[in-house]
Amino acid sequence: MRRPFASSIGVTCAAALALPLAPSAVAADAGPGRTAPAATRAAVTTGAGTPGSTQSLPLRPLGPDRASDAAVFGLAPRSVRHFSLVGVIWDDPGTELHGRVQVRVRAADTGAWSGWQDVETHNADHAADPGTAERASGRVRGATAPLWVGESNGVEIRVRAETGPDAEPEAGSGPTGSTAGEGAGEGSEESAPLLPSGMRLELVDPGEAAPPGGSPAESSGESSEEGSGEDAGRNPVDGSTGPAADAPRTGVMSAGAAAASAANAPLVPLGATGIPALTRAETEEEYHVLRGTETAGQRANPHIGPRPGIVTRSGWGADESLREKEFVYTDKVGAAFVHHSASGNTYTCAEAPSVIRGIYRYHTGSMGWRDIGYNFLVDKCGKIYEGRAGGVANPVLGAHTLGFNSGTMGVAVLGTFDTTGPPTAAVTGVAQLTAWKLGLHDADPSAKTYLTSDGGNLYAKGTKVRLNVISGHRDGFNTVCPGGKLYDRLGTVRSAAAGYQGR
């Protein structure tokens, strides 16, 4: 007789999922890649956080670089409303930015200006797959990676085009192609193909999290983006500009927040800010409930790691009005792609929820995605966070690895790990998470599997590729992500995850 397990599951286990993990009552009847309507539940009284905002400023020509004669766009030093995260976006998501993006900011508390900081320009590989509704929405834009800079109230930026044989324009562009940014000056036509059109600086204020147990109220698509005159912000839903009004907040959980929380109903009560860790025995008991149908071997010896603690979207303060309402699912989670957020390493662990709120607002409002792209995020202290809405135990379709989002999960470690090694706690967090989530689908973290590409710059659409069950982003796409130092630790992640599964 199986002993009772953690009370966090409680009576909601009556709504148990059947693997491939059906997306609970929130998304009954949703098949691979299909949407399911978000559920509405009874209103729950909560606190509300302060809404964030995004300032969107068009970049201007600054004149050619003196040394290389390359085109330079940017903005002179200026005072702006408070922000903590920056990025650059442009019109065409299929166009890459061949150049160097650097920003410096003025700290809001001291008034001191930072030195120049590089912004990672190669971000097109974090995207929804070709042919999906998310990719073809018409709202998606090209973008750099977001960079966390801390609370600031001044900014200066410069974008310098690459020159030389490796700085070729995109196919189909020419000397009379689209101009780089708005208000291009004389002589900009020749260099325009090297910089994408419509470049804008995005200054993101992530807002404040709701008090424990709270969640920001839904705003019916209203934007809190704002600006003045030509620098007016854009509505995160349709990209329109205009006067801003902060999204309304109430003390009642919105339908969107309730739906996102209800997607985790088999694990925790509605409104929970965290999903508690379970022992191995408790996790195996939960596994039998979630699975529904099992082979004799799975019943006798399920290979699944203990469920780690996970901060829910409510816990990190997600404003559910920013995302699209429906959840989209894939058929299973047979592999995991590990990423770094490329947002820098200067954040503190206490700031991690703010970093995630900033990335979420950048992905949805600035880049035009339906939700944050990653399924999970892990901070430098090893804490795990729920990413894209739809339920942590469900096969939620993400937008993390162009060409390989179907049948996989995306895990981003907050930070930049090209030359800096990831903290051991973060590596352990990734191993614990993948041991549990892959275990729900009987995937061996130390094995290899076959995935079929939906199209990318490394594998053509339809190509069947043999990859590690836990792979780095660069294994599926020609990119530096997840940074060389984190990539070198993936062997440790695989062996540790397999150990947690008892293999």
Side-chain angles (χ1 to χ4, degrees):
M1 178 176 178
R2 299 182 186 128
R3 68 183 184 85
F5 53 97
S7 60
S8 64
I9 301 170
V11 297
T12 57
C13 286
L17 310 180
L19 284 177
L21 289 177
S24 78
V26 177
D29 302 324
R34 295 175 56 193
T35 62
T40 57
R41 300 291 178 96
V44 178
T45 301
T46 69
T50 302
S53 64
T54 300
Q55 302 166 76
S56 186
L57 311 178
L59 302 189
R60 306 298 188 188
L62 299 179
D65 179 71
R66 292 181 179 179
S68 63
D69 202 36
V72 180
F73 280 71
L75 293 172
R78 61 175 62 192
S79 295
V80 292
R81 299 192 315 278
H82 284 209
F83 67 96
S84 298
L85 181 141
V86 305
V88 173
I89 63 169
W90 53 90
D91 294 338
D92 184 1
T95 299
E96 296 182 8
L97 194 162
H98 295 286
R100 186 178 187 183
V101 179
Q102 294 180 299
V103 299
R104 66 188 195 105
V105 300
R106 185 178 63 204
D109 55 351
T110 66
W113 283 87
S114 71
W116 287 103
Q117 303 177 68
D118 285 303
V119 180
E120 174 60 59
T121 60
H122 302 293
N123 197 42
D125 44 358
H126 300 74
D129 288 341
T132 60
E134 182 172 6
R135 183 76 174 182
S137 68
R139 298 193 301 270
V140 180
R141 306 174 188 92
T144 67
L147 177 68
W148 179 261
V149 294
E151 190 168 358
S152 307
N153 60 9
V155 67
E156 180 180 9
I157 181 170
R158 61 192 182 196
V159 181
R160 181 182 294 108
E162 288 182 353
T163 59
D166 295 330
E168 293 298 323
E170 295 295 313
S173 65
T176 58
S178 53
T179 58
E182 298 183 14
E186 183 179 355
S188 64
E189 279 193 348
E190 291 185 4
S191 57
L194 296 179
L195 290 174
S197 65
M199 291 189 299
R200 303 181 72 91
L201 173 64
E202 303 287 283
L203 304 175
V204 181
D205 168 17
E208 297 177 5
S215 178
E218 193 166 22
S219 63
S220 303
E222 290 278 319
S223 170
S224 59
E225 318 265 321
E226 61 182 1
S228 60
E230 63 181 4
D231 291 341
R234 282 174 290 96
N235 185 298
V237 176
D238 62 13
S240 62
T241 60
D246 282 342
R249 303 281 160 167
T250 72
V252 177
M253 180 180 285
S254 70
S261 182
N264 290 315
L267 309 182
V268 287
L270 186 68
T273 58
I275 298 171
L278 298 181
T279 66
R280 183 177 182 86
E282 291 167 341
T283 302
E284 289 183 3
E285 187 71 13
E286 178 184 74
Y287 169 86
H288 294 304
V289 175
L290 293 177
R291 178 134 192 123
T293 59
E294 308 168 281
T295 65
Q298 290 165 347
R299 284 194 298 272
N301 186 28
H303 290 293
I304 185 170
R307 188 183 79 192
I310 302 172
V311 178
T312 65
R313 290 172 64 91
S314 177
W316 55 259
D319 180 347
E320 300 296 350
S321 70
L322 299 180
R323 65 170 175 84
E324 292 190 19
K325 292 180 172 60
E326 296 81 12
F327 307 141
V328 183
Y329 298 94
T330 182
D331 56 349
K332 63 176 182 178
V333 178
F337 283 98
V338 178
H339 306 255
H340 68 170
S341 64
S343 51
N345 303 314
T346 60
Y347 73 95
T348 65
C349 291
E351 290 177 317
S354 294
V355 177
I356 296 171
R357 290 196 303 276
I359 294 173
Y360 171 49
R361 183 173 288 274
Y362 186 68
H363 281 185
T364 54
S366 300
M367 298 180 66
W369 293 358
R370 62 177 296 112
D371 196 346
I372 193 169
Y374 308 114
N375 297 105
F376 296 92
L377 303 98
V378 180
D379 70 20
K380 63 173 65 176
C381 291
K383 185 173 289 187
I384 301 166
Y385 301 82
E386 178 183 14
R388 183 163 287 207
V392 298
N394 294 328
V396 179
L397 182 67
H400 49 83
T401 307
L402 181 63
F404 291 101
N405 291 304
S406 181
T408 69
M409 61 186 282
V411 182
V413 180
L414 295 180
T416 303
F417 304 109
D418 297 317
T419 58
T420 301
T424 298
V427 174
T428 299
V430 175
Q432 292 173 332
L433 171 64
T434 51
W436 172 71
K437 186 62 183 280
L438 292 172
L440 290 174
H441 297 264
D442 295 322
D444 180 353
S446 62
K448 292 183 179 291
T449 189
Y450 283 97
L451 299 174
T452 302
S453 173
D454 284 322
N457 68 358
L458 197 56
Y459 298 105
K461 182 177 176 62
T463 304
K464 196 172 185 179
V465 186
R466 190 168 185 257
L467 296 173
N468 288 304
V469 168
I470 298 179
S471 287
H473 188 180
R474 63 176 63 179
D475 294 321
F477 198 94
N478 185 15
T479 176
V480 299
C481 184
K485 294 296 185 179
L486 178 54
Y487 187 79
D488 290 343
R489 299 296 303 277
L490 294 188
T492 299
V493 171
R494 295 182 193 108
S495 59
Y500 290 133
Q501 286 191 352
R503 295 184 186 273

